[in-house]
Amino acid sequence: LAKTTQPISMDSYEGQEVNITCSHNNIATNDYITWYQQFPSQGPRFIIQGYKTKVTNEVASLFIPADRKSSTLSLPRVSLSDTAVYYCLVGEYNFNKFYFGSGTKLNVKP
Amino acid sequence: EAGVTQFPSHSVIEKGQTVTLRCDPISGHDNLYWYRRVMGKEIKFLLHFVKESKQDESGMPNNRFLAERTGGTYSTLKVQPAELEDSGVYFCASREPNGGEQFFGPGTRLTVL
């Protein structure tokens, strides 16, 4: 499993765009990049998944450069309810063993 | 549609006792996973079921842990005997047969005194 590196924590204010970057230098050709969000006392929740270039859904965007050694999760106009831990995970599309890492604790302030 | 459910939500036991955690996956999800986060550490994979078969149990810490999924529906994770270092949050997740995301349950918080 490719290991990932993320900032331990980030602060933001309501209404701002937040970008969380994840490094995965050893990503394999078949690997996808998946982001999960976790609120206190809850299980992780899927946000977005991508392989290359850009993916967008109703919640976030995921930017992946051509070399795929990093990825950036973009959260538009965050609110207080986006305060959570965000995990970047790398593995095959059907991968069955997540390596969570430490995640990024995002703190959104009013 | 109901999500992944776990029972109990919190369990407090004494060292040496036995505890059984239960996970009910989303209906139709053949894949079932167990993870845990012990205090101060990262979420770690324990094992993966495909229906009733153990596909990968490489993350099980030792033989005090026994996971079962008889009938390929719900799963149980038994810890016997429990040790202090087993305290943490145990998560269960499930996934459809043909891929897609893993859906996580809310977790069971286990406290061993």
Side-chain angles (χ1 to χ4, degrees), chain A residues 7-71:
Chain A
I8 295 295
S9 64
M10 294 181 67
D11 288 332
S12 181
Y13 290 92
E14 282 191 292
Q16 288 187 331
E17 177 185 77
V18 170
N19 296 308
I20 306 174
T21 296
C22 176
S23 296
H24 27 80
N25 292 316
N26 297 323
I27 191 169
T29 303
N30 294 333
D31 285 346
Y32 281 69
I33 299 149
T34 308
W35 285 79
Y36 271 75
Q37 173 193 56
Q38 186 179 25
F39 297 112
S41 301
Q42 293 186 25
R45 184 173 71 108
F46 174 85
I47 300 176
I48 198 167
Q49 182 182 66
Y51 183 80
K52 62 180 179 181
T53 62
K54 177 182 175 183
V55 179
T56 297
N57 61 22
E58 64 278 7
V59 176
S61 294
L62 178 59
F63 298 92
I64 306 168
D67 66 5
R68 304 199 328 122
K69 292 184 182 301
S70 67
S71 59

Side-chain angles (χ1 to χ4, degrees), chain A residues 3 5 8 14 16 24 42 44 55 66 73 78 83 90 97:
Chain A
K3 247 192 137 167
T5 303
I8 295 295
E14 282 191 292
Q16 288 187 331
H24 27 80
Q42 293 186 25
V55 179
L73 174 72
V78 294
T83 293
V90 174
K97 184 190 293 186

Side-chain angles (χ1 to χ4, degrees), chain B residues 55-67:
Chain B
Q55 192 76 10
D56 181 354
E57 50 184 331
S58 61
M60 294 288 265
N62 52 61
N63 58 11
R64 295 186 293 104
F65 289 76
L66 175 63

Side-chain angles (χ1 to χ4, degrees), chain A residues 94-96, chain B residues 29-31 33 93-102:
Chain A
N94 287 339
F95 69 116
N96 290 307
Chain B
H29 284 196
D30 288 350
N31 295 281
Y33 310 82
S94 72
R95 182 170 66 79
E96 291 180 344
N98 298 318
E101 66 191 85
Q102 290 189 22

